[in-house]
Amino acid sequence: MAILVTGGAGYIGSHTVVELQNRGYDVVVIDNLQNSSEKVLGRVEAITGKKVPFCLTDIRDRIGLEEVFSKYEIDSVIHFAGLKAVGESVAKPWEYYENNIGGTLVLLDVMRRHGVKDIIFSSSATVYGDPLEIPITENCPKQPCTNPYGWTKSMLEQIMTDIQAADPEWNVVLLRYFNPIGAHESGTIGENPNGIPNNLMPYITQVAVGKREILNIFGNDYDTPDGTCIRDYIHVVDLALGHVAAIKKLQENPGLFVCNLGTGIGYSVLDVVNAFMEANNLTIPYRFAPRRPGDVPVNYSDPSKALREMGWKTQFDLRKMCADSWNWQKNNPNGYED
Ligand code: NAD
Ligand code: WQD
């Protein structure tokens, strides 16, 4: 039996495949490679010493998915595939709804036709909007999202919740990730954004490697100790291990299970910049710029449910996240391109 990993060539997916294979799980990856490279899978194979069965398939392609489910004995799905750029989603809402929601509806239908009713879904802390409580527990009410990307996560959570309620044979694990950064410590796989990075850590590493001149820090007048926004940054390997824990959780037939994956610690933008400089003995030029629309001042998790219910907690601190992010970037200044 194998775990189907959709979007397994992407940033979080590839790290999760490593941790699954290292623990003896069989996986099958599907990805349409629209935001990734097949080279990632060769790198994963080099780390784990195992072959990664790969199907170049789009989750919106029903026939392609049917073939995958017929060819392999799939017993559960970890569903990473989706578009994830917040700003792009504002410019291209139809594309985001069609890919993320349309694709997931096809996936869920093919799954049930093949009697596969165990799914782990990549959700996001974005569903909490401007959170009503800090730290954020899973009981914190969801808020209206500020962009179509966020809505796709929020709506897909609702869709899967309704499907599980209608058919209790389903086990649906909704994992709400906080801010994944870092990379595998080999420095051979990592985050590889197209164009100008939207997210903080890839921007910092691109400044460090000389691809960007200066980091703009969006806002220093927030009501936080140093005026910059606070987030819960989590090492991508810890996040990957959260999926291994969630796979074990599925064996308990939890029905619907919603869980935060974060460290529980909030760091400001300046904390991250300073930690990066210290960990790597580098200087990152930065300047303060206007606030970025849609940013919430403070967002960090209460991760105690994950510990209580899955026995999972994070291991890696901010320094390690910064060191591993830089190790990846400096060894691969152009990502997976030669
Ligand atoms: P990523 O872009 O690196 O990985 C997503 C993968 O899905 C890519 O390899 C892409 O080619 C593939 N894909 C996209 N649409 C597809 C389709 N229709 N069919 C097949 N493959 C498709 O992104 P990531 O950072 O690894 O994120 C993985 C998941 O986690 C996404 O669903 C994302 O929304 C979610 N998430 C990410 C973050 C984050 O900050 N990185 C935070 C919360 C949630
Ligand atoms: C972090 C902080 C920025 C870039 C996003 C998505 C969220 C989730 C994770 C998927 C903020 C500041 C950033 C820069 C900066 N993704 N910043 N200069 O916004 O917390 O979350 O990724 O689900 O949905 O919204 O992460 O890394 O973009 O920003 O000052 O060049 O860094 O303003 O305070 P964010 P981020």
PDB file of all heavy atoms in Angstrom, residues 125 127-137 139-144 296 298-300:
ATOM      1  N   ALA A 125      -2.761  28.774   8.305  1.00  0.00           N
ATOM      2  CA  ALA A 125      -3.164  29.695   9.369  1.00  0.00           C
ATOM      3  C   ALA A 125      -3.917  30.894   8.801  1.00  0.00           C
ATOM      4  O   ALA A 125      -4.550  31.631   9.549  1.00  0.00           O
ATOM      5  CB  ALA A 125      -1.935  30.171  10.123  1.00  0.00           C
ATOM      6  N   VAL A 127      -6.596  30.865   7.420  1.00  0.00           N
ATOM      7  CA  VAL A 127      -8.043  30.742   7.662  1.00  0.00           C
ATOM      8  C   VAL A 127      -8.468  31.447   8.951  1.00  0.00           C
ATOM      9  O   VAL A 127      -9.646  31.732   9.147  1.00  0.00           O
ATOM     10  CB  VAL A 127      -8.527  29.264   7.696  1.00  0.00           C
ATOM     11  CG1 VAL A 127      -8.209  28.548   6.400  1.00  0.00           C
ATOM     12  CG2 VAL A 127      -7.975  28.506   8.902  1.00  0.00           C
ATOM     13  N   TYR A 128      -7.514  31.762   9.832  1.00  0.00           N
ATOM     14  CA  TYR A 128      -7.857  32.482  11.063  1.00  0.00           C
ATOM     15  C   TYR A 128      -7.954  33.985  10.831  1.00  0.00           C
ATOM     16  O   TYR A 128      -8.341  34.726  11.738  1.00  0.00           O
ATOM     17  CB  TYR A 128      -6.813  32.207  12.160  1.00  0.00           C
ATOM     18  CG  TYR A 128      -6.731  30.773  12.622  1.00  0.00           C
ATOM     19  CD1 TYR A 128      -5.578  30.014  12.420  1.00  0.00           C
ATOM     20  CD2 TYR A 128      -7.806  30.173  13.272  1.00  0.00           C
ATOM     21  CE1 TYR A 128      -5.491  28.696  12.862  1.00  0.00           C
ATOM     22  CE2 TYR A 128      -7.726  28.852  13.712  1.00  0.00           C
ATOM     23  CZ  TYR A 128      -6.572  28.119  13.508  1.00  0.00           C
ATOM     24  OH  TYR A 128      -6.482  26.821  13.946  1.00  0.00           O
ATOM     25  N   GLY A 129      -7.580  34.433   9.614  1.00  0.00           N
ATOM     26  CA  GLY A 129      -7.635  35.861   9.290  1.00  0.00           C
ATOM     27  C   GLY A 129      -6.874  36.679  10.321  1.00  0.00           C
ATOM     28  O   GLY A 129      -5.779  36.301  10.746  1.00  0.00           O
ATOM     29  N   ASP A 130      -7.457  37.799  10.713  1.00  0.00           N
ATOM     30  CA  ASP A 130      -6.875  38.575  11.819  1.00  0.00           C
ATOM     31  C   ASP A 130      -7.381  37.884  13.083  1.00  0.00           C
ATOM     32  O   ASP A 130      -8.535  38.052  13.481  1.00  0.00           O
ATOM     33  CB  ASP A 130      -7.341  40.034  11.742  1.00  0.00           C
ATOM     34  CG  ASP A 130      -6.481  40.934  12.622  1.00  0.00           C
ATOM     35  OD1 ASP A 130      -5.670  40.409  13.413  1.00  0.00           O
ATOM     36  OD2 ASP A 130      -6.647  42.158  12.544  1.00  0.00           O
ATOM     37  N   PRO A 131      -6.521  37.068  13.722  1.00  0.00           N
ATOM     38  CA  PRO A 131      -7.036  36.097  14.691  1.00  0.00           C
ATOM     39  C   PRO A 131      -7.695  36.734  15.913  1.00  0.00           C
ATOM     40  O   PRO A 131      -7.242  37.759  16.402  1.00  0.00           O
ATOM     41  CB  PRO A 131      -5.782  35.313  15.097  1.00  0.00           C
ATOM     42  CG  PRO A 131      -4.620  36.132  14.696  1.00  0.00           C
ATOM     43  CD  PRO A 131      -5.061  37.010  13.569  1.00  0.00           C
ATOM     44  N   LEU A 132      -8.759  36.078  16.382  1.00  0.00           N
ATOM     45  CA  LEU A 132      -9.498  36.604  17.527  1.00  0.00           C
ATOM     46  C   LEU A 132      -8.826  36.259  18.844  1.00  0.00           C
ATOM     47  O   LEU A 132      -9.214  36.773  19.888  1.00  0.00           O
ATOM     48  CB  LEU A 132     -10.938  36.060  17.501  1.00  0.00           C
ATOM     49  CG  LEU A 132     -11.777  36.531  16.316  1.00  0.00           C
ATOM     50  CD1 LEU A 132     -13.180  35.941  16.371  1.00  0.00           C
ATOM     51  CD2 LEU A 132     -11.852  38.053  16.275  1.00  0.00           C
ATOM     52  N   GLU A 133      -7.841  35.332  18.797  1.00  0.00           N
ATOM     53  CA  GLU A 133      -7.095  35.034  20.025  1.00  0.00           C
ATOM     54  C   GLU A 133      -5.640  34.738  19.666  1.00  0.00           C
ATOM     55  O   GLU A 133      -5.332  34.274  18.570  1.00  0.00           O
ATOM     56  CB  GLU A 133      -7.706  33.835  20.777  1.00  0.00           C
ATOM     57  CG  GLU A 133      -7.655  32.554  19.961  1.00  0.00           C
ATOM     58  CD  GLU A 133      -8.204  31.328  20.696  1.00  0.00           C
ATOM     59  OE1 GLU A 133      -9.068  31.489  21.567  1.00  0.00           O
ATOM     60  OE2 GLU A 133      -7.757  30.208  20.372  1.00  0.00           O
ATOM     61  N   ILE A 134      -4.745  35.034  20.593  1.00  0.00           N
ATOM     62  CA  ILE A 134      -3.314  34.748  20.441  1.00  0.00           C
ATOM     63  C   ILE A 134      -2.833  34.132  21.742  1.00  0.00           C
ATOM     64  O   ILE A 134      -3.106  34.708  22.802  1.00  0.00           O
ATOM     65  CB  ILE A 134      -2.507  36.045  20.173  1.00  0.00           C
ATOM     66  CG1 ILE A 134      -2.806  36.622  18.785  1.00  0.00           C
ATOM     67  CG2 ILE A 134      -1.005  35.798  20.296  1.00  0.00           C
ATOM     68  CD1 ILE A 134      -2.237  35.830  17.612  1.00  0.00           C
ATOM     69  N   PRO A 135      -2.130  33.003  21.773  1.00  0.00           N
ATOM     70  CA  PRO A 135      -1.867  32.162  20.612  1.00  0.00           C
ATOM     71  C   PRO A 135      -3.149  31.527  20.081  1.00  0.00           C
ATOM     72  O   PRO A 135      -4.131  31.405  20.811  1.00  0.00           O
ATOM     73  CB  PRO A 135      -0.889  31.114  21.167  1.00  0.00           C
ATOM     74  CG  PRO A 135      -1.131  31.081  22.638  1.00  0.00           C
ATOM     75  CD  PRO A 135      -1.551  32.461  23.031  1.00  0.00           C
ATOM     76  N   ILE A 136      -3.092  31.118  18.821  1.00  0.00           N
ATOM     77  CA  ILE A 136      -4.291  30.650  18.122  1.00  0.00           C
ATOM     78  C   ILE A 136      -4.494  29.159  18.372  1.00  0.00           C
ATOM     79  O   ILE A 136      -3.638  28.349  18.007  1.00  0.00           O
ATOM     80  CB  ILE A 136      -4.141  30.897  16.600  1.00  0.00           C
ATOM     81  CG1 ILE A 136      -3.803  32.360  16.320  1.00  0.00           C
ATOM     82  CG2 ILE A 136      -5.391  30.474  15.875  1.00  0.00           C
ATOM     83  CD1 ILE A 136      -3.400  32.632  14.862  1.00  0.00           C
ATOM     84  N   THR A 137      -5.607  28.810  18.983  1.00  0.00           N
ATOM     85  CA  THR A 137      -5.952  27.381  19.088  1.00  0.00           C
ATOM     86  C   THR A 137      -6.867  27.029  17.910  1.00  0.00           C
ATOM     87  O   THR A 137      -7.389  27.923  17.225  1.00  0.00           O
ATOM     88  CB  THR A 137      -6.713  27.059  20.387  1.00  0.00           C
ATOM     89  OG1 THR A 137      -8.011  27.668  20.305  1.00  0.00           O
ATOM     90  CG2 THR A 137      -5.977  27.555  21.620  1.00  0.00           C
ATOM     91  N   ASN A 139      -9.753  26.111  18.129  1.00  0.00           N
ATOM     92  CA  ASN A 139     -11.120  26.574  18.417  1.00  0.00           C
ATOM     93  C   ASN A 139     -11.330  28.033  18.053  1.00  0.00           C
ATOM     94  O   ASN A 139     -12.455  28.526  18.115  1.00  0.00           O
ATOM     95  CB  ASN A 139     -11.438  26.398  19.907  1.00  0.00           C
ATOM     96  CG  ASN A 139     -11.474  24.942  20.280  1.00  0.00           C
ATOM     97  OD1 ASN A 139     -11.822  24.094  19.454  1.00  0.00           O
ATOM     98  ND2 ASN A 139     -11.072  24.627  21.503  1.00  0.00           N
ATOM     99  N   CYS A 140     -10.276  28.699  17.709  1.00  0.00           N
ATOM    100  CA  CYS A 140     -10.387  30.107  17.311  1.00  0.00           C
ATOM    101  C   CYS A 140     -11.273  30.178  16.062  1.00  0.00           C
ATOM    102  O   CYS A 140     -11.011  29.485  15.075  1.00  0.00           O
ATOM    103  CB  CYS A 140      -8.979  30.642  17.013  1.00  0.00           C
ATOM    104  SG  CYS A 140      -8.949  32.370  16.592  1.00  0.00           S
ATOM    105  N   PRO A 141     -12.333  30.973  16.088  1.00  0.00           N
ATOM    106  CA  PRO A 141     -13.231  30.997  14.922  1.00  0.00           C
ATOM    107  C   PRO A 141     -12.512  31.449  13.660  1.00  0.00           C
ATOM    108  O   PRO A 141     -11.664  32.344  13.717  1.00  0.00           O
ATOM    109  CB  PRO A 141     -14.299  32.020  15.314  1.00  0.00           C
ATOM    110  CG  PRO A 141     -14.138  32.268  16.765  1.00  0.00           C
ATOM    111  CD  PRO A 141     -12.741  31.892  17.155  1.00  0.00           C
ATOM    112  N   LYS A 142     -12.871  30.821  12.554  1.00  0.00           N
ATOM    113  CA  LYS A 142     -12.305  31.266  11.281  1.00  0.00           C
ATOM    114  C   LYS A 142     -12.857  32.652  10.956  1.00  0.00           C
ATOM    115  O   LYS A 142     -13.972  32.996  11.344  1.00  0.00           O
ATOM    116  CB  LYS A 142     -12.663  30.264  10.177  1.00  0.00           C
ATOM    117  CG  LYS A 142     -11.854  28.979  10.286  1.00  0.00           C
ATOM    118  CD  LYS A 142     -12.429  27.836   9.469  1.00  0.00           C
ATOM    119  CE  LYS A 142     -12.354  28.037   7.989  1.00  0.00           C
ATOM    120  NZ  LYS A 142     -12.688  26.797   7.244  1.00  0.00           N
ATOM    121  N   GLN A 143     -12.048  33.424  10.237  1.00  0.00           N
ATOM    122  CA  GLN A 143     -12.430  34.797   9.897  1.00  0.00           C
ATOM    123  C   GLN A 143     -12.510  34.925   8.377  1.00  0.00           C
ATOM    124  O   GLN A 143     -11.925  34.109   7.665  1.00  0.00           O
ATOM    125  CB  GLN A 143     -11.346  35.764  10.389  1.00  0.00           C
ATOM    126  CG  GLN A 143     -11.190  35.822  11.874  1.00  0.00           C
ATOM    127  CD  GLN A 143     -12.377  36.513  12.507  1.00  0.00           C
ATOM    128  OE1 GLN A 143     -12.672  37.664  12.232  1.00  0.00           O
ATOM    129  NE2 GLN A 143     -13.097  35.782  13.335  1.00  0.00           N
ATOM    130  N   PRO A 144     -13.179  35.966   7.888  1.00  0.00           N
ATOM    131  CA  PRO A 144     -13.148  36.174   6.441  1.00  0.00           C
ATOM    132  C   PRO A 144     -11.694  36.282   5.964  1.00  0.00           C
ATOM    133  O   PRO A 144     -10.859  36.876   6.645  1.00  0.00           O
ATOM    134  CB  PRO A 144     -13.861  37.516   6.259  1.00  0.00           C
ATOM    135  CG  PRO A 144     -14.682  37.687   7.492  1.00  0.00           C
ATOM    136  CD  PRO A 144     -13.948  36.986   8.599  1.00  0.00           C
ATOM    137  N   VAL A 296      -1.554  40.754   8.836  1.00  0.00           N
ATOM    138  CA  VAL A 296      -2.047  40.904  10.202  1.00  0.00           C
ATOM    139  C   VAL A 296      -0.835  41.129  11.110  1.00  0.00           C
ATOM    140  O   VAL A 296       0.247  40.616  10.835  1.00  0.00           O
ATOM    141  CB  VAL A 296      -2.883  39.679  10.665  1.00  0.00           C
ATOM    142  CG1 VAL A 296      -4.058  39.452   9.731  1.00  0.00           C
ATOM    143  CG2 VAL A 296      -2.047  38.425  10.786  1.00  0.00           C
ATOM    144  N   VAL A 298      -0.043  40.204  14.288  1.00  0.00           N
ATOM    145  CA  VAL A 298       0.500  39.103  15.093  1.00  0.00           C
ATOM    146  C   VAL A 298      -0.252  37.826  14.778  1.00  0.00           C
ATOM    147  O   VAL A 298      -1.484  37.811  14.714  1.00  0.00           O
ATOM    148  CB  VAL A 298       0.352  39.398  16.607  1.00  0.00           C
ATOM    149  CG1 VAL A 298       0.937  38.257  17.435  1.00  0.00           C
ATOM    150  CG2 VAL A 298       1.034  40.713  16.981  1.00  0.00           C
ATOM    151  N   ASN A 299       0.511  36.762  14.564  1.00  0.00           N
ATOM    152  CA  ASN A 299      -0.106  35.477  14.232  1.00  0.00           C
ATOM    153  C   ASN A 299       0.836  34.373  14.696  1.00  0.00           C
ATOM    154  O   ASN A 299       1.904  34.194  14.119  1.00  0.00           O
ATOM    155  CB  ASN A 299      -0.299  35.475  12.700  1.00  0.00           C
ATOM    156  CG  ASN A 299      -0.824  34.175  12.155  1.00  0.00           C
ATOM    157  OD1 ASN A 299      -0.402  33.100  12.560  1.00  0.00           O
ATOM    158  ND2 ASN A 299      -1.735  34.257  11.208  1.00  0.00           N
ATOM    159  N   TYR A 300       0.510  33.703  15.774  1.00  0.00           N
ATOM    160  CA  TYR A 300       1.266  32.497  16.123  1.00  0.00           C
ATOM    161  C   TYR A 300       0.366  31.483  16.816  1.00  0.00           C
ATOM    162  O   TYR A 300      -0.703  31.820  17.326  1.00  0.00           O
ATOM    163  CB  TYR A 300       2.546  32.796  16.916  1.00  0.00           C
ATOM    164  CG  TYR A 300       2.380  33.466  18.251  1.00  0.00           C
ATOM    165  CD1 TYR A 300       2.259  32.721  19.419  1.00  0.00           C
ATOM    166  CD2 TYR A 300       2.384  34.851  18.355  1.00  0.00           C
ATOM    167  CE1 TYR A 300       2.141  33.341  20.651  1.00  0.00           C
ATOM    168  CE2 TYR A 300       2.261  35.477  19.581  1.00  0.00           C
ATOM    169  CZ  TYR A 300       2.130  34.722  20.728  1.00  0.00           C
ATOM    170  OH  TYR A 300       2.003  35.335  21.933  1.00  0.00           O
TER     171      TYR A 300
END
